[in-house]
Amino acid sequence: MIHIQNIAKAFGEIHAVQDVSFDVARGELFGLIGPDGAGKTTLFKILVTLLLPDSGSATVAGRDVVQDFRALRQMVGYMPGRFSLYPDLSVEENLAFFATVFGTTIQENYELIRDIYVQLEPFKNRRAGALSGGMKQKLALCCALIHKPDVLFLDEPTTGVDAVSRKEFWEMLQSLKKHGLTILVSTPYMDEAGQCDRIALMQNGQILAIDTPTGVENRFAKPLFAVRATNIYRLIQDLRQAPFTITCYAFGEFLHLTTQDGVSTGTIDTYLTERHHKQLEIKPIRAGIEDSFMDLMQHA
Amino acid sequence: MRNAVTTNKLTKRFGDFVATDAITFTVAPGEIFGFLGANGAGKTTAMRMLCGLLKPTSGTATVAGFDVYTQSEQIKQVIGYMSQRFSLYDDLTPRENIRFYGGIYGLKRADLKAKANAIIEELELGSVADKLTGSLPLGWKQRLAFSVALIHEPKVVFLDEPTGGVDPITRRHFWDMIYAAAHRGTTIFVTTHYMDEAEYCDRVSIMVDGQIKALDTPGALKKQFGVDSMDGVFQILARGTSTK
C-alpha cells in the first residue's frame, strides 16, 4: 500500500531523511518510532505530497507521490503533529468544512467515524479552539477520516498527551484497522510500539530496524538484567563502574543493566554486596522495544 | 529543615471553573517531587501559582519560605524553571545563553565566565559552544536548558515536561542530571507524561479535576492500588476524566 524507495531530503546541511526504504502492506498498522528530529515528519510530508523528496521515489495506494499528487490527495488522510483545525469554527463546522473540501458529506461516510464522533457530539457546537487536548485530537482524527481515505497518516497523534488519553487513542486506531484502513503512525513513545503490526525505528534520518515489535525485541543479543536496591542513585553509579557493565540505565523502578557475555546474577550480587547495597533484587529479563532502540542507537 | 514548598488549600478559579481545587501538600528540601495528572487536570495552573506568576484565589502557599501572595519577586529569584516550550534562545549560542541567563540572575562577570566553561565542559558542548543553539539536537538543548535553569543555584527548580520527545538515552542522561542536582540539595518539582519517569521520583502526586487524588512514594501508591507500575496507578485514577 505504501512503497518507499531510497527517499532522501535535506534542508541545507541538515539531512532530515537519508536513503529510507520500506513497504507497508494493505491493512497494516505501521509505526514509525523515534525521537524529535529523527525525520518522521519530513517523511510523512513527502508521502502526503506536501514536500518534494531530493531523491528516491515513493508510491501510496499505487500513486506516485510526485507525479500523481492530485489524485493521491483524495486518497490519503493526514493528521499533522500540530493542531491544524480552525479554532474559530465549531466542531461540526470543522467536520463539514473538511467533508466539503473533499466533495463529500458527513452523512456519506459517517459509518467510519461514528465510534469517535459520538464522543464529540455533546460538544458539536463548541469552538474547536475551546476543546480539551483529548477532544481536539479526536476531532482532528474525524476530519482526517471524513473522505474515507485508503491510507491514514498520523504524525505524532499522542505527543504531549497524558497516559490515559494515549491508551484511548490506540484503542480507536485498533478499531479503525478493522475497517481495512492502512495506517502509518509516528510516535516518540516506545511503549506504544507494541500496538503496531510492524515498526520502523528511526534516528537522525535513518532507519535503525524494521520488524514486528517482538522481532525488534529479539534482536537484543546481550545479557540483560533488572536490578534494584534501596539507594538507586548510588546503585547506578556503582554499576556503571563495574568491570562487567556495558550500559546501565534507569527503567522505571528498576535499572536495566547490559553486561558482557557469561555474567550471572551471582557475579552482580557479589559485586554489589561488597559495596553494601541493601535489599538487592537482581533478575535476568527479556529486552523491551526501548532496550533494543537504545542498543541500536549506540551502534548506528 | 524548612519545607521547600508548602501549600494549604491552594485554589484558583477562572470564572465558574475551578482549575486548582484546594490542594494541600509539602515538598522537602532535596526531594524529587513528581507532579502528575491528565491534560487539563490543573497542573500548569498550580505550577504558575507556585512560580509567583499567578495570584491564587484562596488558600496559602510558600516556596523556599516565601509567600506566593506577597513575595512573588523573591520567589522568582530562588527558583529555576524550564519546559519543553520555553527554554533557551535559538538565535544565541550556548555560551551566550548561559551568559544571558546568568546575567539576568545577577551573577558577576568572573563567575559567569567560570560557570559557562564548567557547564560547557560538563555537557561536552565544546564543539558547538559557539554555534547557534537552534541548530543543536533537542536532547542537547534540553540538557543545556536544565543547566541554565540551575545557574543561580536555585532552591527549587520547576521542570514542566522536560523530556517530551527526547530520545531514550538522552532522556536518561537528563534524569542523571536531575538525580545529581537533588543529591546536591536542590528540590526538584517535575511533571511528565512518561510513567517510567514517575518511578524515579521520591514522591508522586496525581491530580484529577483540580484535586490531588493521591500522594505518596511510587512504592506505596502501587501497593495502595494493587498494581505493579505507576502507569497502572495513573490509569486507575485518571481514567474517565480525560474525556471531559
Side-chain angles (χ1 to χ4, degrees), chain B residues 197-227:
Chain B
E197 295 186 347
E199 310 267 4
Y200 310 155
C201 301
D202 295 316
R203 283 188 309 147
V204 171
S205 74
I206 298 179
M207 265 183 102
V208 180
D209 296 341
Q211 301 178 341
I212 289 185
K213 289 290 182 193
L215 198 177
D216 214 323
T217 62
L221 286 175
K222 283 181 280 187
K223 197 177 270 177
Q224 185 186 339
F225 290 92
V227 291

PDB file of all heavy atoms in Angstrom, chain B residues 197-227:
ATOM      1  N   GLU B 197       9.143   7.521  34.282  1.00  0.00           N
ATOM      2  CA  GLU B 197       9.830   8.605  34.991  1.00  0.00           C
ATOM      3  C   GLU B 197       9.186   8.895  36.346  1.00  0.00           C
ATOM      4  O   GLU B 197       9.845   9.399  37.256  1.00  0.00           O
ATOM      5  CB  GLU B 197       9.853   9.873  34.132  1.00  0.00           C
ATOM      6  CG  GLU B 197      10.676   9.694  32.883  1.00  0.00           C
ATOM      7  CD  GLU B 197      10.862  10.963  32.070  1.00  0.00           C
ATOM      8  OE1 GLU B 197      10.151  11.963  32.323  1.00  0.00           O
ATOM      9  OE2 GLU B 197      11.697  10.953  31.179  1.00  0.00           O
ATOM     10  N   ALA B 198       7.894   8.585  36.456  1.00  0.00           N
ATOM     11  CA  ALA B 198       7.219   8.766  37.748  1.00  0.00           C
ATOM     12  C   ALA B 198       7.888   7.890  38.807  1.00  0.00           C
ATOM     13  O   ALA B 198       7.948   8.249  39.978  1.00  0.00           O
ATOM     14  CB  ALA B 198       5.739   8.432  37.623  1.00  0.00           C
ATOM     15  N   GLU B 199       8.406   6.747  38.372  1.00  0.00           N
ATOM     16  CA  GLU B 199       9.067   5.830  39.306  1.00  0.00           C
ATOM     17  C   GLU B 199      10.364   6.419  39.867  1.00  0.00           C
ATOM     18  O   GLU B 199      10.853   5.981  40.896  1.00  0.00           O
ATOM     19  CB  GLU B 199       9.412   4.499  38.617  1.00  0.00           C
ATOM     20  CG  GLU B 199       8.280   3.852  37.869  1.00  0.00           C
ATOM     21  CD  GLU B 199       7.497   2.844  38.707  1.00  0.00           C
ATOM     22  OE1 GLU B 199       7.801   2.712  39.906  1.00  0.00           O
ATOM     23  OE2 GLU B 199       6.581   2.210  38.145  1.00  0.00           O
ATOM     24  N   TYR B 200      10.976   7.372  39.147  1.00  0.00           N
ATOM     25  CA  TYR B 200      12.252   7.937  39.590  1.00  0.00           C
ATOM     26  C   TYR B 200      12.069   8.992  40.684  1.00  0.00           C
ATOM     27  O   TYR B 200      13.035   9.478  41.252  1.00  0.00           O
ATOM     28  CB  TYR B 200      13.030   8.592  38.429  1.00  0.00           C
ATOM     29  CG  TYR B 200      13.187   7.735  37.192  1.00  0.00           C
ATOM     30  CD1 TYR B 200      13.384   8.310  35.948  1.00  0.00           C
ATOM     31  CD2 TYR B 200      13.147   6.347  37.270  1.00  0.00           C
ATOM     32  CE1 TYR B 200      13.530   7.547  34.801  1.00  0.00           C
ATOM     33  CE2 TYR B 200      13.286   5.579  36.130  1.00  0.00           C
ATOM     34  CZ  TYR B 200      13.472   6.178  34.902  1.00  0.00           C
ATOM     35  OH  TYR B 200      13.613   5.424  33.775  1.00  0.00           O
ATOM     36  N   CYS B 201      10.825   9.366  40.932  1.00  0.00           N
ATOM     37  CA  CYS B 201      10.578  10.432  41.907  1.00  0.00           C
ATOM     38  C   CYS B 201      10.557   9.851  43.321  1.00  0.00           C
ATOM     39  O   CYS B 201      10.193   8.700  43.528  1.00  0.00           O
ATOM     40  CB  CYS B 201       9.243  11.105  41.615  1.00  0.00           C
ATOM     41  SG  CYS B 201       9.160  11.823  39.968  1.00  0.00           S
ATOM     42  N   ASP B 202      10.945  10.690  44.303  1.00  0.00           N
ATOM     43  CA  ASP B 202      10.842  10.266  45.695  1.00  0.00           C
ATOM     44  C   ASP B 202       9.370  10.119  46.082  1.00  0.00           C
ATOM     45  O   ASP B 202       8.982   9.138  46.691  1.00  0.00           O
ATOM     46  CB  ASP B 202      11.521  11.292  46.613  1.00  0.00           C
ATOM     47  CG  ASP B 202      13.011  11.365  46.350  1.00  0.00           C
ATOM     48  OD1 ASP B 202      13.621  10.291  46.205  1.00  0.00           O
ATOM     49  OD2 ASP B 202      13.563  12.474  46.271  1.00  0.00           O
ATOM     50  N   ARG B 203       8.572  11.122  45.739  1.00  0.00           N
ATOM     51  CA  ARG B 203       7.130  11.035  45.946  1.00  0.00           C
ATOM     52  C   ARG B 203       6.417  11.579  44.722  1.00  0.00           C
ATOM     53  O   ARG B 203       6.961  12.399  43.973  1.00  0.00           O
ATOM     54  CB  ARG B 203       6.703  11.835  47.182  1.00  0.00           C
ATOM     55  CG  ARG B 203       7.027  11.111  48.505  1.00  0.00           C
ATOM     56  CD  ARG B 203       6.411  11.846  49.682  1.00  0.00           C
ATOM     57  NE  ARG B 203       6.772  13.248  49.626  1.00  0.00           N
ATOM     58  CZ  ARG B 203       5.970  14.241  50.049  1.00  0.00           C
ATOM     59  NH1 ARG B 203       4.805  13.984  50.591  1.00  0.00           N
ATOM     60  NH2 ARG B 203       6.370  15.496  49.956  1.00  0.00           N
ATOM     61  N   VAL B 204       5.196  11.115  44.535  1.00  0.00           N
ATOM     62  CA  VAL B 204       4.414  11.486  43.359  1.00  0.00           C
ATOM     63  C   VAL B 204       3.028  11.927  43.811  1.00  0.00           C
ATOM     64  O   VAL B 204       2.417  11.279  44.661  1.00  0.00           O
ATOM     65  CB  VAL B 204       4.276  10.267  42.415  1.00  0.00           C
ATOM     66  CG1 VAL B 204       3.281  10.554  41.300  1.00  0.00           C
ATOM     67  CG2 VAL B 204       5.620   9.871  41.838  1.00  0.00           C
ATOM     68  N   SER B 205       2.548  13.025  43.244  1.00  0.00           N
ATOM     69  CA  SER B 205       1.149  13.394  43.468  1.00  0.00           C
ATOM     70  C   SER B 205       0.419  13.257  42.143  1.00  0.00           C
ATOM     71  O   SER B 205       1.001  13.492  41.080  1.00  0.00           O
ATOM     72  CB  SER B 205       1.031  14.834  43.979  1.00  0.00           C
ATOM     73  OG  SER B 205       1.281  15.734  42.927  1.00  0.00           O
ATOM     74  N   ILE B 206      -0.838  12.847  42.211  1.00  0.00           N
ATOM     75  CA  ILE B 206      -1.621  12.724  40.978  1.00  0.00           C
ATOM     76  C   ILE B 206      -2.857  13.607  41.085  1.00  0.00           C
ATOM     77  O   ILE B 206      -3.663  13.459  42.007  1.00  0.00           O
ATOM     78  CB  ILE B 206      -2.018  11.259  40.714  1.00  0.00           C
ATOM     79  CG1 ILE B 206      -0.750  10.421  40.519  1.00  0.00           C
ATOM     80  CG2 ILE B 206      -2.924  11.167  39.477  1.00  0.00           C
ATOM     81  CD1 ILE B 206      -0.979   8.948  40.281  1.00  0.00           C
ATOM     82  N   MET B 207      -2.962  14.552  40.146  1.00  0.00           N
ATOM     83  CA  MET B 207      -4.096  15.474  40.142  1.00  0.00           C
ATOM     84  C   MET B 207      -5.177  14.989  39.198  1.00  0.00           C
ATOM     85  O   MET B 207      -4.904  14.552  38.087  1.00  0.00           O
ATOM     86  CB  MET B 207      -3.638  16.861  39.685  1.00  0.00           C
ATOM     87  CG  MET B 207      -3.305  17.795  40.819  1.00  0.00           C
ATOM     88  SD  MET B 207      -2.862  19.426  40.218  1.00  0.00           S
ATOM     89  CE  MET B 207      -4.381  20.297  40.557  1.00  0.00           C
ATOM     90  N   VAL B 208      -6.420  15.093  39.659  1.00  0.00           N
ATOM     91  CA  VAL B 208      -7.576  14.762  38.825  1.00  0.00           C
ATOM     92  C   VAL B 208      -8.598  15.869  39.037  1.00  0.00           C
ATOM     93  O   VAL B 208      -8.977  16.150  40.175  1.00  0.00           O
ATOM     94  CB  VAL B 208      -8.194  13.403  39.238  1.00  0.00           C
ATOM     95  CG1 VAL B 208      -9.397  13.077  38.363  1.00  0.00           C
ATOM     96  CG2 VAL B 208      -7.158  12.286  39.143  1.00  0.00           C
ATOM     97  N   ASP B 209      -9.022  16.502  37.949  1.00  0.00           N
ATOM     98  CA  ASP B 209     -10.021  17.572  38.024  1.00  0.00           C
ATOM     99  C   ASP B 209      -9.695  18.616  39.089  1.00  0.00           C
ATOM    100  O   ASP B 209     -10.554  19.007  39.878  1.00  0.00           O
ATOM    101  CB  ASP B 209     -11.414  16.985  38.284  1.00  0.00           C
ATOM    102  CG  ASP B 209     -11.879  16.107  37.137  1.00  0.00           C
ATOM    103  OD1 ASP B 209     -11.307  16.246  36.042  1.00  0.00           O
ATOM    104  OD2 ASP B 209     -12.797  15.300  37.334  1.00  0.00           O
ATOM    105  N   GLY B 210      -8.452  19.054  39.125  1.00  0.00           N
ATOM    106  CA  GLY B 210      -8.083  20.139  40.025  1.00  0.00           C
ATOM    107  C   GLY B 210      -7.729  19.719  41.435  1.00  0.00           C
ATOM    108  O   GLY B 210      -7.253  20.531  42.225  1.00  0.00           O
ATOM    109  N   GLN B 211      -7.980  18.462  41.780  1.00  0.00           N
ATOM    110  CA  GLN B 211      -7.688  18.000  43.140  1.00  0.00           C
ATOM    111  C   GLN B 211      -6.560  16.973  43.155  1.00  0.00           C
ATOM    112  O   GLN B 211      -6.380  16.243  42.193  1.00  0.00           O
ATOM    113  CB  GLN B 211      -8.944  17.360  43.755  1.00  0.00           C
ATOM    114  CG  GLN B 211     -10.114  18.311  43.820  1.00  0.00           C
ATOM    115  CD  GLN B 211     -11.362  17.663  44.384  1.00  0.00           C
ATOM    116  OE1 GLN B 211     -11.483  16.445  44.409  1.00  0.00           O
ATOM    117  NE2 GLN B 211     -12.285  18.490  44.829  1.00  0.00           N
ATOM    118  N   ILE B 212      -5.848  16.918  44.270  1.00  0.00           N
ATOM    119  CA  ILE B 212      -4.828  15.878  44.420  1.00  0.00           C
ATOM    120  C   ILE B 212      -5.514  14.622  44.946  1.00  0.00           C
ATOM    121  O   ILE B 212      -6.037  14.602  46.055  1.00  0.00           O
ATOM    122  CB  ILE B 212      -3.697  16.345  45.344  1.00  0.00           C
ATOM    123  CG1 ILE B 212      -2.889  17.424  44.608  1.00  0.00           C
ATOM    124  CG2 ILE B 212      -2.794  15.167  45.728  1.00  0.00           C
ATOM    125  CD1 ILE B 212      -1.676  17.904  45.331  1.00  0.00           C
ATOM    126  N   LYS B 213      -5.523  13.579  44.111  1.00  0.00           N
ATOM    127  CA  LYS B 213      -6.240  12.353  44.458  1.00  0.00           C
ATOM    128  C   LYS B 213      -5.336  11.322  45.128  1.00  0.00           C
ATOM    129  O   LYS B 213      -5.832  10.384  45.744  1.00  0.00           O
ATOM    130  CB  LYS B 213      -6.867  11.735  43.196  1.00  0.00           C
ATOM    131  CG  LYS B 213      -8.040  12.522  42.658  1.00  0.00           C
ATOM    132  CD  LYS B 213      -9.248  12.423  43.590  1.00  0.00           C
ATOM    133  CE  LYS B 213     -10.426  13.190  42.980  1.00  0.00           C
ATOM    134  NZ  LYS B 213     -11.511  13.397  43.951  1.00  0.00           N
ATOM    135  N   ALA B 214      -4.038  11.472  44.959  1.00  0.00           N
ATOM    136  CA  ALA B 214      -3.116  10.522  45.582  1.00  0.00           C
ATOM    137  C   ALA B 214      -1.772  11.205  45.741  1.00  0.00           C
ATOM    138  O   ALA B 214      -1.387  12.031  44.906  1.00  0.00           O
ATOM    139  CB  ALA B 214      -2.969   9.277  44.722  1.00  0.00           C
ATOM    140  N   LEU B 215      -1.083  10.885  46.837  1.00  0.00           N
ATOM    141  CA  LEU B 215       0.242  11.462  47.073  1.00  0.00           C
ATOM    142  C   LEU B 215       1.017  10.521  47.982  1.00  0.00           C
ATOM    143  O   LEU B 215       0.637  10.308  49.126  1.00  0.00           O
ATOM    144  CB  LEU B 215       0.100  12.837  47.736  1.00  0.00           C
ATOM    145  CG  LEU B 215       1.305  13.792  47.686  1.00  0.00           C
ATOM    146  CD1 LEU B 215       0.952  15.109  48.330  1.00  0.00           C
ATOM    147  CD2 LEU B 215       2.582  13.248  48.258  1.00  0.00           C
ATOM    148  N   ASP B 216       2.080   9.946  47.436  1.00  0.00           N
ATOM    149  CA  ASP B 216       2.910   9.056  48.249  1.00  0.00           C
ATOM    150  C   ASP B 216       4.151   8.671  47.454  1.00  0.00           C
ATOM    151  O   ASP B 216       4.352   9.138  46.337  1.00  0.00           O
ATOM    152  CB  ASP B 216       2.115   7.803  48.631  1.00  0.00           C
ATOM    153  CG  ASP B 216       2.502   7.299  50.030  1.00  0.00           C
ATOM    154  OD1 ASP B 216       3.694   7.382  50.371  1.00  0.00           O
ATOM    155  OD2 ASP B 216       1.619   6.828  50.751  1.00  0.00           O
ATOM    156  N   THR B 217       4.961   7.772  48.009  1.00  0.00           N
ATOM    157  CA  THR B 217       6.089   7.250  47.243  1.00  0.00           C
ATOM    158  C   THR B 217       5.521   6.337  46.153  1.00  0.00           C
ATOM    159  O   THR B 217       4.421   5.787  46.324  1.00  0.00           O
ATOM    160  CB  THR B 217       7.021   6.412  48.135  1.00  0.00           C
ATOM    161  OG1 THR B 217       6.272   5.295  48.633  1.00  0.00           O
ATOM    162  CG2 THR B 217       7.530   7.226  49.308  1.00  0.00           C
ATOM    163  N   PRO B 218       6.252   6.150  45.044  1.00  0.00           N
ATOM    164  CA  PRO B 218       5.758   5.245  43.999  1.00  0.00           C
ATOM    165  C   PRO B 218       5.459   3.852  44.562  1.00  0.00           C
ATOM    166  O   PRO B 218       4.428   3.257  44.224  1.00  0.00           O
ATOM    167  CB  PRO B 218       6.906   5.208  42.991  1.00  0.00           C
ATOM    168  CG  PRO B 218       7.608   6.513  43.171  1.00  0.00           C
ATOM    169  CD  PRO B 218       7.501   6.835  44.637  1.00  0.00           C
ATOM    170  N   GLY B 219       6.317   3.359  45.434  1.00  0.00           N
ATOM    171  CA  GLY B 219       6.114   2.026  46.009  1.00  0.00           C
ATOM    172  C   GLY B 219       4.805   1.937  46.780  1.00  0.00           C
ATOM    173  O   GLY B 219       4.024   1.003  46.600  1.00  0.00           O
ATOM    174  N   ALA B 220       4.533   2.935  47.627  1.00  0.00           N
ATOM    175  CA  ALA B 220       3.318   2.919  48.437  1.00  0.00           C
ATOM    176  C   ALA B 220       2.070   3.075  47.572  1.00  0.00           C
ATOM    177  O   ALA B 220       1.039   2.453  47.834  1.00  0.00           O
ATOM    178  CB  ALA B 220       3.384   4.028  49.483  1.00  0.00           C
ATOM    179  N   LEU B 221       2.162   3.886  46.515  1.00  0.00           N
ATOM    180  CA  LEU B 221       0.994   4.072  45.632  1.00  0.00           C
ATOM    181  C   LEU B 221       0.648   2.779  44.906  1.00  0.00           C
ATOM    182  O   LEU B 221      -0.519   2.417  44.770  1.00  0.00           O
ATOM    183  CB  LEU B 221       1.271   5.178  44.607  1.00  0.00           C
ATOM    184  CG  LEU B 221       1.255   6.610  45.140  1.00  0.00           C
ATOM    185  CD1 LEU B 221       1.672   7.583  44.048  1.00  0.00           C
ATOM    186  CD2 LEU B 221      -0.136   6.989  45.649  1.00  0.00           C
ATOM    187  N   LYS B 222       1.684   2.071  44.455  1.00  0.00           N
ATOM    188  CA  LYS B 222       1.446   0.813  43.742  1.00  0.00           C
ATOM    189  C   LYS B 222       0.797  -0.197  44.681  1.00  0.00           C
ATOM    190  O   LYS B 222      -0.110  -0.927  44.287  1.00  0.00           O
ATOM    191  CB  LYS B 222       2.767   0.273  43.174  1.00  0.00           C
ATOM    192  CG  LYS B 222       3.192   1.019  41.916  1.00  0.00           C
ATOM    193  CD  LYS B 222       4.468   0.474  41.340  1.00  0.00           C
ATOM    194  CE  LYS B 222       5.682   1.001  42.082  1.00  0.00           C
ATOM    195  NZ  LYS B 222       6.944   0.604  41.442  1.00  0.00           N
ATOM    196  N   LYS B 223       1.265  -0.210  45.917  1.00  0.00           N
ATOM    197  CA  LYS B 223       0.695  -1.124  46.913  1.00  0.00           C
ATOM    198  C   LYS B 223      -0.762  -0.738  47.188  1.00  0.00           C
ATOM    199  O   LYS B 223      -1.656  -1.578  47.177  1.00  0.00           O
ATOM    200  CB  LYS B 223       1.526  -1.048  48.203  1.00  0.00           C
ATOM    201  CG  LYS B 223       1.288  -2.221  49.139  1.00  0.00           C
ATOM    202  CD  LYS B 223       2.181  -2.153  50.373  1.00  0.00           C
ATOM    203  CE  LYS B 223       3.516  -2.870  50.170  1.00  0.00           C
ATOM    204  NZ  LYS B 223       4.382  -2.726  51.360  1.00  0.00           N
ATOM    205  N   GLN B 224      -0.993   0.555  47.382  1.00  0.00           N
ATOM    206  CA  GLN B 224      -2.334   1.058  47.688  1.00  0.00           C
ATOM    207  C   GLN B 224      -3.350   0.673  46.602  1.00  0.00           C
ATOM    208  O   GLN B 224      -4.484   0.302  46.910  1.00  0.00           O
ATOM    209  CB  GLN B 224      -2.274   2.582  47.828  1.00  0.00           C
ATOM    210  CG  GLN B 224      -3.589   3.238  48.261  1.00  0.00           C
ATOM    211  CD  GLN B 224      -3.478   4.771  48.224  1.00  0.00           C
ATOM    212  OE1 GLN B 224      -2.383   5.336  48.268  1.00  0.00           O
ATOM    213  NE2 GLN B 224      -4.614   5.430  48.112  1.00  0.00           N
ATOM    214  N   PHE B 225      -2.945   0.751  45.332  1.00  0.00           N
ATOM    215  CA  PHE B 225      -3.883   0.481  44.245  1.00  0.00           C
ATOM    216  C   PHE B 225      -3.756  -0.946  43.703  1.00  0.00           C
ATOM    217  O   PHE B 225      -4.439  -1.310  42.748  1.00  0.00           O
ATOM    218  CB  PHE B 225      -3.709   1.508  43.122  1.00  0.00           C
ATOM    219  CG  PHE B 225      -4.174   2.875  43.528  1.00  0.00           C
ATOM    220  CD1 PHE B 225      -3.292   3.790  44.075  1.00  0.00           C
ATOM    221  CD2 PHE B 225      -5.518   3.224  43.418  1.00  0.00           C
ATOM    222  CE1 PHE B 225      -3.731   5.047  44.485  1.00  0.00           C
ATOM    223  CE2 PHE B 225      -5.961   4.486  43.822  1.00  0.00           C
ATOM    224  CZ  PHE B 225      -5.067   5.391  44.354  1.00  0.00           C
ATOM    225  N   GLY B 226      -2.867  -1.733  44.297  1.00  0.00           N
ATOM    226  CA  GLY B 226      -2.746  -3.129  43.911  1.00  0.00           C
ATOM    227  C   GLY B 226      -2.279  -3.356  42.483  1.00  0.00           C
ATOM    228  O   GLY B 226      -2.739  -4.278  41.811  1.00  0.00           O
ATOM    229  N   VAL B 227      -1.378  -2.500  42.000  1.00  0.00           N
ATOM    230  CA  VAL B 227      -0.846  -2.666  40.644  1.00  0.00           C
ATOM    231  C   VAL B 227       0.680  -2.673  40.712  1.00  0.00           C
ATOM    232  O   VAL B 227       1.263  -2.313  41.740  1.00  0.00           O
ATOM    233  CB  VAL B 227      -1.323  -1.540  39.695  1.00  0.00           C
ATOM    234  CG1 VAL B 227      -2.809  -1.675  39.416  1.00  0.00           C
ATOM    235  CG2 VAL B 227      -1.014  -0.170  40.295  1.00  0.00           C
TER     236      VAL B 227
END
